[in-house]
Amino acid sequence: MNTHSVGTELNIERVLTERYKQCQADYPSCFYQHDVQSPVSDLTTPLDAVKDGWYIRTNGGDEFLGLGIAKQWKLPNVSALRSFDRERLNLIEMGLRPNTLIAGGWSFSSSPSPDHLWDAFSFSHWTVPALFIRKTANGYSAQLTLFIDRHQSLNEILDYYAGIFDSVMHPVSTCSPKVLGSQSYPSAQEWTKRVDDAISALRSGHLSKLVLARRVDATFATSPNLGNILKRLQHHNPSTTIFAIKSQGHTFLGATPERLIAVHNHHLRTMALAGTMPRGKTAEDDRAQITDLLSSEKDQREHATVVKRITDTLSPYANLTMPKRPQVLTLSNVHHLWTPIEGQLRENASLLSLATLLHPTPAVGGEPREAAIEWLQKYEGLNRGWYAGGVGFMDLQGNGSIWVALRSALIRDRTAHCYAGCGIMQDSIAERELAESEWKLQAMLNALGVND
Ligand SMILES: C=C(O[C@H]1C=CC=C(C(=O)O)[C@@H]1O)C(=O)O
């Protein structure tokens, strides 16, 4: 052991040591879980102090924090993701409690253009954290998870857990660094040209919808503080789900309004979200924007494409119910057309299997799906990484929630790479789509303090 010891007052070092010896003797590899008291009350602050971890605050207000890695699965493609899902139940036999949450996500595309930005993120990864903390209306609960195999020495394990406790107890500075500048990739002019190319492709071919994305990079004097950003995201976007996935010191985070799918006790919930107007400056103006959105033929078509694909995909598995007409979801910067969809699963389909069937919906890809993805790969000129992919968590019985990773940014060192995309239809107007991408980017840029 080095200078610090693992949660001394909680007797964790003794418990880990005993369990390590027992596991080493009995099994080639196994998990051990131990309930502890939460060492923190503010779950947004500890991520800054660790290299790997995750934080999710659902739009219902529950918060989940995972620090460090007990075990991580790095998956290179969709078929590996599906096999991982099938192996889930074996983890219970290896000692994990059935309600253990595994958090992770996956990239928008399985064959992205090469680009160093997303090096720390595999196509997909899923993590059981070393220390897990849950905060709900009922209070806090926390749990240590240890994965023991014959390759790791007890000292290595104890040092790792000591480091996690140490970093949680000593949060880093919460100052917001100065913004040095921001830059659009591609330039705004080049992006509108690409939107025009997409419009031409939609008018001349068999594609009916394409979602085109862009990136804006904001650079700071020092690394931005994750705790601050998460708090600001929550404050300005209370009805969204806030997420952060930190991998090897790089963090992908955002405030997404879009649920890809949730499954609880065979009941599924999903939504179509597509079609956008800006928030009005006055209450009257805001109502006018909602009226315009509901009566916009282009937005209704853009939205209907998403509803159709989701219902076509899920109908074989569930009896679906939804409102007859889209409703409006109002966020801090935009209004969206929104159709909540739910149903009872007929088949015993898991969260992840359904999520991989749905992804990418035409809210982030296009229609028809394969042709749209092919077009984007050729002409979008952007490695989206995990932007517009899936992020979320599941338990070992296949319950959980996955969100579409929108209104998001990748933070690497002193730069935040922020992403936004827009559904393009035959009758889209490029300048109007550029403005829409700006409204969507505001969720992240405001939280980063770029507009202060
Ligand atoms: C692709 C994004 O938004 C999707 C979700 C809601 C509305 C959308 C739209 O109106 O274009 C997009 O389909 C994004 O925020 O980057």
Side-chain angles (χ1 to χ4, degrees), residues 196-218:
D196 278 329
D197 293 344
I199 295 170
S200 306
L202 291 162
R203 287 184 184 160
S204 61
H206 61 295
L207 289 164
S208 61
K209 178 174 179 181
L210 283 165
V211 181
L212 213 61
R214 58 186 281 243
R215 199 181 87 212
V216 170
D217 293 355

Side-chain angles (χ1 to χ4, degrees), residues 261 263-269 310-321 342-350 353-354:
I261 187 163
V263 174
H264 279 283
N265 300 328
H266 308 293
H267 187 80
L268 79 81
R269 277 178 302 146
I310 292 178
T311 51
D312 284 355
T313 306
L314 294 180
S315 294
Y317 303 93
N319 296 314
L320 300 172
T321 55
E342 57 183 312
Q344 203 60 26
L345 281 171
R346 276 192 295 268
E347 309 257 329
N348 200 5
S350 73
S353 65
L354 295 175

